[in-house]
Amino acid sequence: MIAAMPLMIIPFILYNLAMLGLMGDGGIPALQHDIIVLSMLSGAIWSMALGDLFIVVALVVLFFEILKASRTGSGNLLNHILSMLIFIAFLVEFLLVRDAATQVFFILMTIALIDVIGGFAVSIRSAGRDVSIGL
C-alpha cells in the first residue's frame, strides 16, 4: 500500500507548508528566500531559492515515479489513480487559492501532469510486452 503512494505528494505538501509559514516568512515571499548561495570559480554568485528547490525536488520525484510505473504489479493501478487525484488537487488549488497562483506552483502542477501521463504511457507500454498471444 505504501509503495502505491505517489511521491508527487511530497512537493505538494512542501509548497503548502511554505505557504503556511513553516519555512520562513510564509506566503509567496517565502519562495524567493535563497536557500543555497555559492561563489563559483568564475567569480559569479549562484543562488537557489526555496521555490527553485521545490522544482528540483519535484523533478527528482518525477524520475522515481517513472521508474515505479515501469514495474508491473497490483499496486500500479492504485498508484495511477492516486497520482491523478494529486494532479486534480494541484489544479484545484491553482485555480482557487491565491498563494498557489505562482510560476513555481504552475511548474509543480505541470510536473504532476507529466507524472500522470507518463505513468499511464509507461504502464501501457510495459503491459503490452507482458501479454503473450500464445504463438
Side-chain angles (χ1 to χ4, degrees):
M1 180 69 176
I2 297 281
M5 189 60 145
L7 298 175
M8 279 305 295
I9 198 161
I10 294 170
F12 184 75
I13 290 172
L14 288 175
Y15 187 92
N16 285 309
L17 289 175
M19 291 303 110
L20 291 173
L22 299 176
M23 295 182 184
D25 296 339
I28 295 173
L31 298 175
Q32 297 159 352
H33 284 293
D34 288 338
I35 301 299
I36 301 170
V37 178
L38 296 174
S39 179
M40 307 303 284
L41 291 175
S42 66
I45 302 293
W46 177 77
S47 63
M48 178 180 280
L50 183 63
D52 302 331
L53 184 63
F54 289 163
I55 293 170
V56 170
V57 167
L59 289 171
V60 170
V61 164
L62 177 63
F63 170 73
F64 286 109
E65 282 292 324
I66 298 298
L67 286 179
K68 279 175 40 178
S70 65
R71 292 182 299 158
T72 56
S74 59
N76 236 5
L77 182 61
L78 181 60
N79 184 300
H80 293 317
I81 292 170
L82 293 175
S83 291
M84 180 63 82
L85 290 176
I86 288 175
F87 168 70
I88 291 170
F90 266 108
L91 183 61
V92 168
E93 188 168 339
F94 180 70
L95 295 173
L96 299 179
V97 178
R98 181 180 306 265
D99 284 345
T102 64
Q103 293 86 349
V104 172
F105 196 81
F106 179 78
I107 293 170
L108 293 175
M109 181 180 67
T110 304
I111 293 171
L113 176 64
I114 292 169
D115 173 34
V116 170
I117 295 170
F120 279 122
V122 168
S123 291
I124 290 170
R125 193 81 148 145
S126 61
R129 291 187 185 125
D130 290 343
V131 176
S132 69
I133 57 173
L135 294 176

